[in-house]
Amino acid sequence: MSTDDTNNIPRPEGYWNLFASPCLAGPIKFVLPFVIALALFAGLYLIEPYQQFLVISGLLAAYFVPPAGKESIIPIAIVMGYPWWLITLAIFLLDVAVSLFVVWNFDLALKIPLVGRLLESGMTAGRNYTDARPWLRRFSTIGLALFVFFPLQGTGAMNGAILGRLLGLEKARVFACVCTGSLASSLVIALGSDALLDIYRHDPALGIGILVAIVVAVLAAFVGWRIHQGRLRERTPR
């Protein structure tokens, strides 16, 4: 076989082009994220008593309703007695499903009435985020993972996947960044909440003191961030 023949052999371009037929790939890419989410709830139904299944299902549904997020849903679940690894895995799989849906079906999803409005709001948040942080385009991969990692309102898997599209990153990289940020954030919050709950059980005063210190620090960081955002808007020419 000559060198020219070898060069002419078609090569796969990666996992994201695994399905050669558009007729097959399109439906699978649309349905698979929903299959992941349904498999998660089916697994929870099988391993949890019915009442506990209903409660954790409600918490996971609330995860998609602002201003709820990892920073509230995970601690609440742990205080209610769910193991840290279970709620971490559940939140992570939901983020996987959401990021896959956005990455694979972004253009199509924009045409769906309710989903389209959510994506458009995410696009607005992503543009505002990048406009306020021009350096993000130079460190797009790390910046995207950090965007998903920090549990602030407006961040998360959906907006992270949208931001990755706005930055022009390839789909596989966007998915990897979102998954990395989601897993790291979920683990930090879950392990921290579990450790704080253990401290409270052994020493309630110390546990409450640490919790108050964390809340004050988070509020101070949030206020500082809002002030910084306001100053940036004032500097932006109209």
Side-chain angles (χ1 to χ4, degrees), residues 53 83 89 159 161 167 174 208 220:
F53 164 74
L89 180 62
N159 287 348
L167 291 172
V174 173
I208 293 174

Side-chain angles (χ1 to χ4, degrees), residues 37-61 80 82 86:
L38 290 174
L40 167 63
F41 284 98
L44 291 173
Y45 179 80
L46 292 174
I47 66 175
E48 291 290 329
Y50 184 66
Q51 291 299 324
Q52 290 179 293
F53 164 74
L54 292 179
V55 173
I56 195 171
S57 296
L59 290 174
L60 294 177
M80 296 182 71
Y82 295 97
L86 179 63

Side-chain angles (χ1 to χ4, degrees), residues 15-170:
Y15 173 80
W16 298 91
N17 292 324
L18 177 63
F19 307 112
S21 171
C23 295
L24 178 64
I28 290 178
K29 289 179 178 180
F30 186 85
V31 171
L32 183 58
F34 294 99
V35 172
I36 294 174
L38 290 174
L40 167 63
F41 284 98
L44 291 173
Y45 179 80
L46 292 174
I47 66 175
E48 291 290 329
Y50 184 66
Q51 291 299 324
Q52 290 179 293
F53 164 74
L54 292 179
V55 173
I56 195 171
S57 296
L59 290 174
L60 294 177
Y63 175 56
F64 294 100
V65 181
K70 296 182 183 72
E71 71 282 2
S72 56
I73 298 300
I74 292 177
I76 290 173
I78 290 176
V79 168
M80 296 182 71
Y82 295 97
W84 66 266
W85 60 265
L86 179 63
I87 189 62
T88 297
L89 180 62
I91 293 291
F92 174 67
L93 288 178
L94 285 181
D95 282 350
V96 167
V98 169
S99 60
L100 271 180
F101 182 82
V102 173
V103 166
W104 272 341
N105 306 284
F106 185 74
D107 296 331
L108 175 61
L110 283 174
K111 301 176 182 178
I112 303 175
L114 179 59
V115 177
R117 284 200 296 269
L118 290 174
L119 293 181
E120 287 173 359
S121 66
M123 291 172 66
T124 301
R127 290 193 185 99
N128 293 338
Y129 191 82
T130 53
D131 290 344
R133 300 162 181 82
W135 55 267
L136 185 63
R137 295 188 180 274
R138 298 195 302 272
F139 303 98
S140 53
T141 300
I142 298 175
L144 181 57
L146 291 176
F147 177 83
V148 179
F149 174 81
F150 287 107
L152 299 173
Q153 187 175 357
T155 64
M158 185 184 75
N159 287 348
I162 295 171
L163 178 59
R165 293 295 302 268
L166 294 177
L167 291 172
L169 299 178
E170 60 184 11

Side-chain angles (χ1 to χ4, degrees), residues 175-233:
F175 179 66
C177 289
V178 171
C179 289
T180 300
S182 171
L183 182 59
S185 179
S186 299
L187 281 173
V188 168
I189 297 173
L191 291 174
S193 301
D194 192 61
L196 182 60
L197 184 60
D198 284 341
I199 293 173
Y200 174 79
R201 287 169 175 165
H202 289 87
D203 190 339
L206 179 60
I208 293 174
I210 294 175
L211 178 61
V212 170
I214 293 174
V215 171
V216 170
V218 169
L219 289 176
F222 178 75
V223 171
W225 177 73
R226 295 289 292 182
I227 293 174
H228 178 66
Q229 291 292 102
R231 290 175 178 173
L232 287 175
R233 283 194 292 269

